């Protein structure tokens, strides 16, 4: 072997030896740092259950629930209503109903939060969009009519207030904005170009929700949600006790009672929608006007709901299940 080849082999061996040495040094350093982190983690013990300025004594002395709300209740009930979006009497009634379900047991470890404080934080979250928690607070259901007499009360309200007879309620949907759920693709991306959960509701003549379907994916349309709903299935199958067909005022032909909606819905015996605007007669134009005036109650109900509980005006940073829970709580309080 000549001298040049021998030098080349020695140089290569030296490089390999240096590389192995660097790898060993790097592994030793990683083990040392990992061991040091474990020791530091074991040595760090929790010093406080909560910060001293969050103690029960400080909350009673300076807290919003124990100070501000007491003053508002006593001195300015209107300001209390604006702050909580309800009168003090309604707050007390809700607390009486849900208090036992949100009360924690007293233990030797710490003093539990009062149920009134939890309820106030939840209502404030719904009113302003500030962080809060709605779980296990509202388990109310919509007061869906159970017999023909209840439906006739809704019919009478539309006839007296909006001059539109035979109406069982107004239907429409509202998109509740939320962050994109992981792995959902475009299923929550609506035609308005944002991610949402669809709130679909039936409203009576007094802007109250009679029935809701919460949680439809934003990409779904109003008609799709209605066609797949339990209410439509119950009405079509005859399980829902809606009133029997009767003539309209000043007529002698039996007409089914119906819901009213916009152009998105298909025309059915139990669903009325506007005439197409192309080439309509004067009578059809009058019909469109009156139907639109009656159907507008559902849009107004959504507007009242969102302005009362402004969390619905924000983009909720929650998964769809939590968005449904928050929206349900807002509707129960609205009714």
């Amino acid at each position: 072997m000549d001298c040049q080849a021998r030098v080349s082999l020695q140089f290569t061996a030296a490089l390999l030896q240096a590389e192995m040495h660097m790898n060993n040094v790097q592994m030793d350093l990683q083990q040392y740092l990992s061991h040091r982190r474990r020791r530091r983690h074991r040595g760090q013990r929790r010093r406080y259950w909560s910060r001293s300025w969050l103690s029960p004594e400080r909350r009673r002395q300076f807290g919003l629930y124990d100070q501000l709300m007491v003053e508002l209740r006593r001195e300015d009930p209107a300001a209390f209503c604006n702050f909580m979006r309800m009168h003090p009497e309604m707050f007390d009634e809700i607390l009486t109903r849900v208090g036992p379900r949100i009360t924690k047991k007293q233990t030797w470890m710490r003093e539990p939060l009062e149920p009134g404080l939890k309820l106030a934080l939840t209502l404030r979250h719904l009113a302003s969009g500030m962080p809060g928690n709605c779980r296990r607070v509202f388990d109310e259901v919509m007061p869906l009519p159970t017999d023909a007499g209840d439906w006739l009360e809704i019919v009478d309200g539309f006839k007296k207030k909006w001059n539109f007879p035979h109406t069982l309620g107004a239907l429409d949907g509202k998109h509740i904005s939320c962050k994109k759920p992981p792995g959902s693709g475009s299923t929550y991306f609506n035609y308005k170009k944002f991610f949402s959960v669809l709130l679909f509701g039936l409203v009576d003549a007094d802007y109250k929700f009679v029935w809701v379907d919460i949680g439809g994916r934003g990409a779904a349309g109003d008609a799709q949600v209605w066609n797949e709903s339990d209410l439509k299935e119950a009405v079509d199958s005859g399980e829902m006790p809606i009133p029997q067909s009767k003539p309209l005022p000043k007529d002698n032909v039996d007409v089914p009672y119906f819901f009213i909606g916009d152009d998105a819905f298909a025309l059915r015996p139990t669903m009325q929608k506007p005439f197409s605007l192309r080439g309509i007669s004067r009578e059809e134009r009058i019909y469109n006007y009156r139907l639109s005036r009656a159907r507008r109650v559902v849009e107004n109900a959504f507007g009242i709901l969102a302005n009362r509980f402004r969390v619905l005006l924000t983009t909720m940073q929650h998964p769809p299940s939590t968005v449904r829970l928050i929206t349900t709580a807002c509707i129960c309080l609205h009714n």
Side-chain angles (χ1 to χ4, degrees):
M1 181 181 295
D2 59 6
C3 182
Q4 185 176 1
R6 189 180 299 110
V7 171
S8 178
L9 287 175
Q10 292 176 351
F11 180 74
T12 303
L15 286 178
L16 291 174
Q17 186 177 4
E19 185 177 356
M20 292 176 60
H21 178 71
M22 290 298 297
N23 289 337
N24 292 334
V25 170
Q26 187 176 6
M27 291 177 61
D28 292 341
L29 179 60
Q30 289 177 349
Q31 291 178 358
Y32 170 76
L33 293 177
S34 177
H35 177 67
R36 184 175 179 181
R37 282 195 296 267
R38 287 197 299 269
R39 288 183 58 189
R40 185 169 54 191
H41 180 72
R42 288 196 300 266
Q44 285 182 345
R45 294 186 177 181
R46 190 168 183 172
R47 298 168 59 189
Y48 308 104
W49 186 273
S50 63
R51 300 293 180 181
S52 58
W53 53 272
L54 291 174
S55 65
E57 295 75 17
R58 299 273 291 183
R59 285 201 305 267
R60 296 189 185 98
Q61 185 177 1
F62 302 107
L64 179 148
Y65 175 71
D66 295 283
Q67 295 297 324
L68 177 61
M69 288 185 59
V70 172
E71 292 296 324
L72 293 179
R73 179 191 289 266
R74 181 172 57 241
E75 303 292 340
D76 194 349
F80 183 100
C81 182
N82 182 62
F83 190 70
M84 286 284 106
R85 297 298 194 267
M86 61 182 59
H87 295 286
E89 295 78 13
M90 185 176 180
F91 179 89
D92 295 338
E93 179 183 351
I94 295 175
L95 180 58
T96 301
R97 297 173 65 179
V98 305
R101 283 180 284 175
I102 61 175
T103 301
K104 298 292 185 180
K105 293 183 179 180
Q106 179 78 38
T107 66
W108 63 271
M109 298 181 64
R110 59 171 175 166
E111 182 179 348
L113 296 176
E114 300 177 43
L117 174 59
K118 294 181 180 180
L119 178 61
L121 290 173
T122 300
L123 295 177
R124 187 57 190 163
H125 167 55
L126 299 179
S128 63
M130 295 169 58
N133 182 23
C134 297
R135 189 172 301 276
R136 298 180 61 187
V137 177
F138 300 104
D139 297 323
E140 304 296 330
V141 296
M142 293 297 100
L144 186 65
T146 57
D147 54 41
D150 295 335
W151 285 110
L152 286 174
E153 291 182 9
I154 298 176
V155 171
D156 188 59
F158 274 97
K159 182 179 178 181
K160 290 182 177 178
K161 294 187 176 182
W162 307 108
N163 195 22
F164 209 82
H166 272 50
T167 304
L168 299 172
L171 287 164
D172 201 5
K174 175 180 174 58
H175 290 276
I176 307 298
S177 179
C178 66
K179 70 175 182 179
K180 180 183 181 298
S184 63
S186 61
T187 55
Y188 286 90
F189 194 70
N190 61 45
Y191 71 97
K192 297 182 179 180
K193 308 303 180 184
F194 62 88
F195 294 92
S196 66
V197 168
L198 184 61
L199 164 61
F200 188 79
L202 175 68
V203 177
D204 66 12
D206 296 318
Y207 308 106
K208 292 183 178 180
F209 290 91
V210 179
W211 168 86
V212 293
D213 185 307
I214 305 173
R217 298 182 177 184
D222 294 347
Q224 179 182 347
V225 175
W226 169 245
N227 291 333
E228 297 174 356
S229 67
D230 295 335
L231 178 59
K232 181 180 184 299
E233 181 180 353
V235 171
D236 292 345
S237 64
E239 296 179 7
M240 181 61 63
I242 61 176
Q244 296 295 323
S245 301
K246 288 186 177 180
L248 291 169
K250 299 181 181 181
D251 198 0
N252 57 2
V253 178
D254 287 344
V255 175
Y257 289 86
F258 48 77
F259 304 100
I260 55 177
D262 55 18
D263 291 327
F265 299 93
L267 185 64
R268 294 286 187 273
T270 56
M271 174 65 70
Q272 294 297 307
K273 57 180 289 186
F275 284 101
S276 174
L277 297 179
R278 183 176 300 175
I280 62 175
S281 64
R282 179 176 181 274
E283 290 78 11
E284 292 170 344
R285 192 180 300 276
I286 293 173
Y287 170 85
N288 278 2
Y289 165 73
R290 292 191 174 181
L291 184 143
S292 176
R293 184 177 60 180
R295 191 194 62 81
R296 202 178 302 162
V297 296
V298 64
E299 297 180 358
N300 293 344
F302 287 141
I304 295 169
L305 177 71
N307 279 279
R308 184 180 182 187
F309 301 108
R310 293 181 175 270
V311 66
L312 302 179
L313 296 176
T314 65
T315 299
M316 297 191 197
Q317 303 300 309
H318 305 289
S321 59
T322 306
V323 174
R324 298 184 190 104
L325 181 66
I326 293 173
T327 306
T328 302
C330 292
I331 293 175
C332 291
L333 293 171
H334 172 80
N335 276 7

